Amino acid sequence: MTVNIIKFSVHLWNSMADQEMIQEKIGEALGLEKAAQKAVKDLDSRGLLKPEQMRKLSKMKEQASQQEEEMQDLVKELVESDGFDQETIDEKAEETAEKASKMMETYLGDEPDTQEALEFLCLAEGAEVTHYEVLNSVSKDVKNKKFGTKVRSILKEEKGHLDICTKLAKDNAASA
């Protein structure tokens, strides 16, 4: 009897630890979605992106906004279905968005150019791909099966975003 109680307690503790980690990763992914949208807007307003680059990046920004919305809706479901904590996720999202914005300012420095701007977007998209890869790997631990499906869908789009940014950076470097 005591052994079973201990096993159950360990299982329960592991599940809670897994849930905490998943909540943090969801928050980080959401924060990176927000930061990527802000980065495109900021880089464009600084005149660091050319009109042909902005046409491609505008579509990417719209998709990121849609992904953020879809993830927010999914988080609401996870709060109800899996007992996730909305506040924990929101706090991690804000913290991550702030960190990413600071990283952008540090990376770009005082006199950024178009190449640096595009390469930063590659870094940002790479971070999103990584976070969605992690979420995809732990999606089996979430009861709500819509979570895994949505994460895989967003991951596919994020890989496309990384490809777009990489191509823009390469083309820009080649034309310099």
Side-chain angles (χ1 to χ4, degrees), residues 24-127:
E24 284 187 16
K25 293 301 164 198
I26 291 170
E28 289 168 353
L30 281 167
L32 290 168
E33 291 286 1
K34 291 177 185 186
Q37 293 170 70
K38 183 180 181 295
V40 170
K41 182 179 174 187
D42 289 355
L43 295 172
D44 184 43
S45 69
R46 290 182 186 189
L48 293 172
L49 301 172
K50 298 172 185 168
E52 64 272 12
Q53 295 165 338
M54 256 324 282
R55 279 191 291 279
K56 291 179 181 179
L57 293 172
S58 290
K59 182 177 181 194
M60 193 176 85
K61 184 176 169 264
E62 288 172 24
Q63 287 175 331
S65 176
Q66 180 70 30
Q67 291 167 348
E68 179 187 354
E69 225 174 272
E70 291 170 357
M71 283 299 286
Q72 289 288 10
D73 290 344
L74 189 55
V75 166
K76 289 176 187 165
E77 286 184 36
L78 293 172
V79 166
E80 292 176 17
S81 67
D82 290 51
F84 280 39
D85 182 19
Q86 181 80 50
E87 189 175 325
T88 297
I89 294 168
D90 291 345
E91 285 174 6
K92 185 52 88 172
E94 287 306 312
E95 177 186 322
T96 302
E98 286 177 32
K99 284 180 182 179
S101 290
K102 287 178 186 175
M103 285 173 51
M104 182 177 85
E105 293 309 314
T106 301
Y107 186 87
L108 295 177
D110 293 333
E111 295 181 34
D113 61 20
T114 298
Q115 189 63 34
E116 289 170 322
L118 291 170
E119 289 172 359
F120 177 78
L121 290 176
C122 290
L123 288 171
E125 290 302 325

Side-chain angles (χ1 to χ4, degrees), residues 112-145:
D113 61 20
T114 298
Q115 189 63 34
E116 289 170 322
L118 291 170
E119 289 172 359
F120 177 78
L121 290 176
C122 290
L123 288 171
E125 290 302 325
E128 286 184 87
V129 167
T130 301
H131 277 77
Y132 282 107
E133 286 281 9
V134 169
L135 284 174
N136 187 44
S137 74
V138 297
S139 65
K140 66 187 178 330
D141 297 329
V142 177
K143 290 179 212 161
N144 186 323
K145 296 307 166 200

